[in-house]
């Protein structure tokens, strides 16, 4: 039995939480008995759930493993992550998703829910064994070719039809491939000045519009990964106004960073640390994404944690890999972009980083409110802390963060997975 003393649930009045046998047994004042942990007035949130994590295992264990990636997740306050399918081999069969699921059970510092590929080998030619992955021990409900777009409209329609049988969802990486061939950054004023091939907003928006129409046509669930433009927000708002079952995510970096960092930043020009897919966009896009996350047009924050080894990232811009690590800074960036600006309170953060992602992924034991009888998945967060981001202190195997040297608000103090601490005093247990 553990009693966590002096925490503020969703930023409310001080309270104590008694945890017994993995469950929140009691919430009240002056609780005692068992092992006592001083919460120090931290904000208590339901354990965070990430719908979009790249754990890289199997195949790229030099970048991340299930063990290091879930350590990174726990340090970021996460109690569950969805592991994207673009591994090697690709998670496109029951065998591979069960392998990832078993690695999670054995080495995970949080729950690991494999995402299944939509098409065989992510090649966009033939549907993968969606039903077999859904029926496997991993019980896959989220399917995505993330990293690539399911650009064939017939395949996308079939996938949306297929997942209805088991209440699954297709999570689309919306990128029209022909419109983004050779693209290096956002298409706009800055790309024009730098002479880099641009990545037009329409390449994202056209796919989102098409997929919303397809999902409505077949009556299925669509989830839009990493929305990055103001125009995408307008399309999703329209689809929701029709009552269609469309959800969407935004990454922390798209809520904070803009494309002019490619030209001028604290770490110089053309620094590939800012190279990411979809690309960083403009200040107007950032403002639209923040407003959409606040008003519920965008449902959740998902990290798109994309670890890369140094040799793939610290090279010339055109050759560098796309992506940023994000699990250990997500909550701080959301505090900076959404809480400090008055756009969200802690209850709003809990909805968007725990309850709703768990619901989209159909996870039963995650994302529940901190109430008596709920599984004790709890994140304790000190929003008054200020931390200079030091990548060498990350639990992730990779260091490719755009926030190095920046001072961000907040610090994850502790994380509990079904009552068992995975992080205490900011350190892995
Ligand atoms: Zn993606």
């Amino acid at each position: 039995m553990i009693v966590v003393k002096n925490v503020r649930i969703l930023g409310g009045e001080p309270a104590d939480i008694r945890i017994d046998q993995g469950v929140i047994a009691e919430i009240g004042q002056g609780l005692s008995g068992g092992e006592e942990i001083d919460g120090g007035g931290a904000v208590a949130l339901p354990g965070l759930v990430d719908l979009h994590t790249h754990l890289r295992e199997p195949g790229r264990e030099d970048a991340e493993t299930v063990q290091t990636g879930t350590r990174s997740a726990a340090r970021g306050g996460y109690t569950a992550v969805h592991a994207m399918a673009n591994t090697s081999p690709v998670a496109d069969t029951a065998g591979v998703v069960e392998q990832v699921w078993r690695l999670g059970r054995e080495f995970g510092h949080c729950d690991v829910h494999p995402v299944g590929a939509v098409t065989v080998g992510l090649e966009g030619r033939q549907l993968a064994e969606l039903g077999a992955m859904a029926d496997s021990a991993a019980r896959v409900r989220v399917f995505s070719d993330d990293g690539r777009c399911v650009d064939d409209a017939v395949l996308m329609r079939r996938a949306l039809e297929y997942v209805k049988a088991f209440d699954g969802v297709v999570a689309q990486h919306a990128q029209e491939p022909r419109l983004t061939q050779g693209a290096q950054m956002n298409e706009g004023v800055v790309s024009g000045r730098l002479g880099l091939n641009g990545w037009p907003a329409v390449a994202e928006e056209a796919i989102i519009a098409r997929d919303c129409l397809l999902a409505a046509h077949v009556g299925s669930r669509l989830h839009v990964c990493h929305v990055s433009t103001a125009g995408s927000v307008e399309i999703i708002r329209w689809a929701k106004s029709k009552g269609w079952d469309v959800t969407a995510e935004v990454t922390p970096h798209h809520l904070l960073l803009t494309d002019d960092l490619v030209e001028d930043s604290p770490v110089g020009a053309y620094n590939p640390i800012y190279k990411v897919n979809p690309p960083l966009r403009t200040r107007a896009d950032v403002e639209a994404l923040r407003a959409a996350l606040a008003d519920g047009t965008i449902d959740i924050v998902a990290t798109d944690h994309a670890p890369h080894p140094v040799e793939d990232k610290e090279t010339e811009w055109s050759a560098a890999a796309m992506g940023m690590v994000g699990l250990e800074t997500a909550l701080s960036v959301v505090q900076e972009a959404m809480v400090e600006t008055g756009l969200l309170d802690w209850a709003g953060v809990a909805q968007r980083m725990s309850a709703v992602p768990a619901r989209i992924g159909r996870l039963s034991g995650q994302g529940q409110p901190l109430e008596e009888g709920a599984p004790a998945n709890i994140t304790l967060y000190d929003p008054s802390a200020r931390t200079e981001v030091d990548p060498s202190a990350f639990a992730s195997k990779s260091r490719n963060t755009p926030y190095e040297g920046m001072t961000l608000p907040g610090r994850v103090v502790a994380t509990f997975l079904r009552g068992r601490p995975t992080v205490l005093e900011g350190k892995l247990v």
Side-chain angles (χ1 to χ4, degrees):
M1 193 164 65
I2 297 174
V3 174
V4 185
K5 305 280 290 178
N6 187 24
V7 297
R8 296 181 296 123
I9 294 174
L10 304 181
E13 294 303 309
D16 305 338
I17 302 175
R18 184 201 309 283
I19 300 170
D20 196 14
Q21 298 190 346
V23 171
I24 297 175
E26 189 179 4
I27 295 172
Q29 308 268 341
L31 304 185
S32 60
E35 182 190 347
E36 292 190 4
I37 293 170
D38 180 14
V43 173
L45 302 169
L48 306 184
V49 176
D50 195 16
L51 201 62
H52 193 147
T53 306
H54 296 275
L55 291 179
R56 302 295 190 217
E57 189 175 6
R60 284 308 300 267
E61 290 84 354
D62 57 327
E64 197 77 290
T65 64
V66 169
Q67 185 171 49
T68 60
T70 57
R71 279 182 176 157
S72 182
R75 281 202 62 194
Y78 287 86
T79 52
V81 298
H82 287 78
M84 275 299 173
N86 63 339
T87 48
S88 179
V90 171
D92 59 1
T93 62
V96 179
V97 295
E98 284 187 349
Q99 179 191 353
V100 174
W101 177 76
R102 277 200 202 91
L103 286 167
R105 300 256 291 194
E106 189 167 353
F107 300 110
H109 293 248
C110 67
D111 291 348
V112 174
H113 297 280
V115 173
V118 176
T119 68
V120 174
L122 308 175
E123 288 185 346
R125 287 203 274 275
Q126 183 189 344
L127 274 194
E129 304 168 3
L130 309 186
M133 290 189 272
D135 291 341
S136 74
R139 299 190 55 75
V140 176
R141 290 295 176 272
V142 182
F143 296 87
S144 182
D145 274 3
D146 183 62
R148 298 209 190 149
C149 181
V150 182
D151 63 311
D152 182 312
V154 174
L155 270 179
M156 187 63 183
R157 174 190 178 158
R158 286 209 194 106
L160 287 163
E161 281 170 342
Y162 207 113
V163 298
K164 283 169 72 177
F166 37 83
D167 196 24
V169 63
V170 180
Q172 174 73 292
H173 170 120
Q175 178 186 357
E176 211 294 314
R178 296 266 294 144
L179 286 170
T180 51
Q181 244 166 28
Q184 294 289 322
M185 66 173 296
N186 177 51
E187 179 179 300
V189 176
V190 181
S191 68
R193 224 163 23 225
L194 296 179
L196 288 176
N197 266 350
W199 195 306
V202 65
E204 174 173 312
E205 294 156 6
I207 294 289
I208 295 176
R210 181 202 75 177
D211 287 353
C212 287
L213 292 165
L214 282 174
H217 183 64
V218 305
S220 189
R221 285 208 289 149
L222 169 72
H223 178 74
V224 184
C225 295
H226 40 51
V227 171
S228 74
T229 78
S232 298
V233 166
E234 287 308 307
I235 293 161
I236 293 161
R237 188 171 283 136
W238 165 75
K240 286 191 164 181
S241 77
K242 298 280 202 182
W244 300 343
D245 203 349
V246 174
T247 55
E249 71 190 34
V250 62
T251 71
H253 48 272
H254 288 109
L255 290 170
L256 195 66
L257 306 177
T258 52
D259 65 347
D260 46 300
L261 288 163
V262 180
E263 184 175 36
D264 182 27
S265 83
V267 287
Y270 298 101
N271 192 317
I273 203 71
Y274 300 115
K275 190 173 175 186
V276 65
N277 178 355
L280 301 177
R281 304 284 190 180
T282 68
R283 177 53 52 189
D285 293 307
V286 167
E287 295 302 328
L289 295 168
R290 288 181 180 187
L293 183 64
D295 73 18
T297 303
I298 293 178
D299 303 80
I300 65 168
V301 175
T303 67
D304 196 5
H305 176 81
H308 290 291
V310 170
E311 61 272 22
D312 290 356
K313 207 60 189 168
E314 290 183 8
T315 174
E316 65 176 297
W317 180 276
S318 62
M322 290 182 280
M324 303 168 168
V325 293
L327 288 165
E328 290 171 73
T329 48
L331 199 44
S332 288
V333 173
V334 169
Q335 183 185 348
E336 172 95 357
M338 301 301 295
V339 180
E340 308 275 286
T341 51
L343 290 165
L344 284 183
D345 58 14
W346 292 111
V349 171
Q351 277 294 311
R352 289 156 181 79
M353 297 183 77
S354 177
V356 183
R359 196 186 306 148
I360 294 169
R362 297 296 191 253
L363 307 184
S364 52
Q366 294 280 348
Q368 294 179 19
L370 299 181
E371 295 170 352
E372 291 172 11
N377 297 317
I378 306 170
T379 298
L380 301 185
Y381 183 72
D382 175 10
S384 68
R386 289 289 177 276
T387 315
E388 186 177 321
V389 178
D390 174 10
S392 71
F394 282 171
S396 171
K397 209 175 226 188
S398 292
R399 303 278 178 263
N400 51 304
T401 174
Y403 310 114
E404 180 172 7
M406 275 177 71
T407 298
L408 289 175
R411 172 174 171 266
V412 173
V413 178
T415 309
F416 296 86
L417 177 63
R418 288 181 287 280
R420 182 175 59 85
T422 54
V423 170
L424 280 178
E425 294 176 7
K427 294 188 175 63
L428 289 160
V429 175

